[in-house]
Amino acid sequence: MSVWLLSHLDSSPGNRLFLEEASHRDVEAFQMKPSELCWSASAQGLGFVDAELPKVIFTRLGSSASEADLLTVRVAEAAGVPVLNSYSALRLCRDKAKTYLCLKQNGVPIPDTLWLSSRWSPELIERHCGPPPHIVKLSQGTQGQGVMLSESWRSLTSLLEAMRMLGGQVLIQRFLAESQGRDTRVLVVGGKVRGAAIRQARDPDEFRSNLHLGGQATVVRPSERQVEVAEAAVASLGLEVAGVDLLETSKGPVVVEVNGSPGYEASPFFVKHIWDYLQDRYLGRETFRQPEPRPI
């Protein structure tokens, strides 16, 4: 039986790495685009039409995926196919406002965050998130998109007016100067941390460390506290595979993002850890050539 890589992306480095690793292991893996899958609900049941079901489906449906794309995950679940990640978990982690709320409710440390209403004031923001600068985020966004730095009250006013025109919830967060341009991406698979990499912005004036924005990554061994926080974050959101982005503060690591469709470019071992888990949990080790031991 084959493995489906369910992704709406025509071109993606992560998809390429996933399929290349499958080839190295002599596994049949195919990228399936949700828009090319037909499904029906009839007397015969709910499922895909004219498509042989795989043994397991691995999803890469980030925030740019549509609701119609996500519905194919529900169809697969209804058809009895294991899906990493589930529809409900993907819906939750696509929304930063819901994600932070869930993390806070479960005791996972996050930066001081304000869910902004139309009745905001500088005094309100400073009381909860300190003086400028501030991090401003749209509830929807990935790869550093929809995340901006406001360095004054004047710029914040202009920024909020522009962001409200885009719709969606706007979040304000305390700026953590000690972590500017630097974070730790932690890969969690099957409830356990499998690897980590420090990401550093190339430009010293850039506050985002995303590799898509030119950041550089170095593989590291995470601290015990980083492991504890990352695993707690993923468990609270119900994800089976996730990338957790941590910032270091004087009080320890805080979670700034949990990505249910993480990229693998930060570490050459990330995609291998995912395939090791697929092998052990869903496919059976006898299906594969024995892989090399993977460092954390």
Side-chain angles (χ1 to χ4, degrees), residues 120-143:
W120 73 275
S121 67
E123 293 77 18
L124 175 69
I125 292 175
E126 185 160 354
R127 187 163 69 247
H128 290 275
C129 299
H134 299 103
I135 300 298
V136 186
K137 296 181 177 181
L138 281 173
S139 190
Q140 303 284 338
T142 188
Q143 297 179 355

Side-chain angles (χ1 to χ4, degrees), residues 121-263:
S121 67
E123 293 77 18
L124 175 69
I125 292 175
E126 185 160 354
R127 187 163 69 247
H128 290 275
C129 299
H134 299 103
I135 300 298
V136 186
K137 296 181 177 181
L138 281 173
S139 190
Q140 303 284 338
T142 188
Q143 297 179 355
Q145 299 173 356
V147 179
M148 283 143 281
L149 177 66
S150 172
E151 299 187 278
S152 68
W153 293 119
R154 177 176 292 183
S155 69
L156 180 62
T157 300
S158 300
L159 189 55
L160 292 177
E161 289 175 355
M163 293 181 81
R164 282 213 183 86
M165 294 178 64
L166 298 176
Q169 182 76 52
V170 178
L171 309 178
I172 305 290
Q173 288 186 326
R174 184 182 296 274
F175 178 69
L176 302 173
E178 60 265 47
S179 297
Q180 179 173 347
R182 178 186 176 94
D183 70 8
T184 302
R185 164 60 64 89
V186 181
L187 178 71
V188 181
V189 184
K192 301 294 182 183
V193 167
R194 311 287 174 163
I198 289 178
R199 304 186 303 178
Q200 179 72 51
R202 183 170 307 201
D203 186 338
D205 294 326
E206 174 60 68
F207 69 99
R208 297 165 297 180
S209 60
N210 304 72
L211 301 186
H212 296 84
L213 299 174
Q216 298 176 318
T218 304
V219 175
V220 296
R221 182 178 293 275
S223 68
E224 291 184 8
R225 181 56 178 161
Q226 287 177 323
V227 169
E228 179 183 336
V229 169
E231 291 179 354
V234 172
S236 70
L237 297 172
L239 293 161
E240 200 164 356
V241 175
V244 182
D245 296 341
L246 302 174
L247 294 183
E248 285 301 321
T249 74
S250 59
K251 297 180 180 180
V254 296
V255 177
V256 290
E257 184 168 0
V258 182
N259 193 330
S261 298

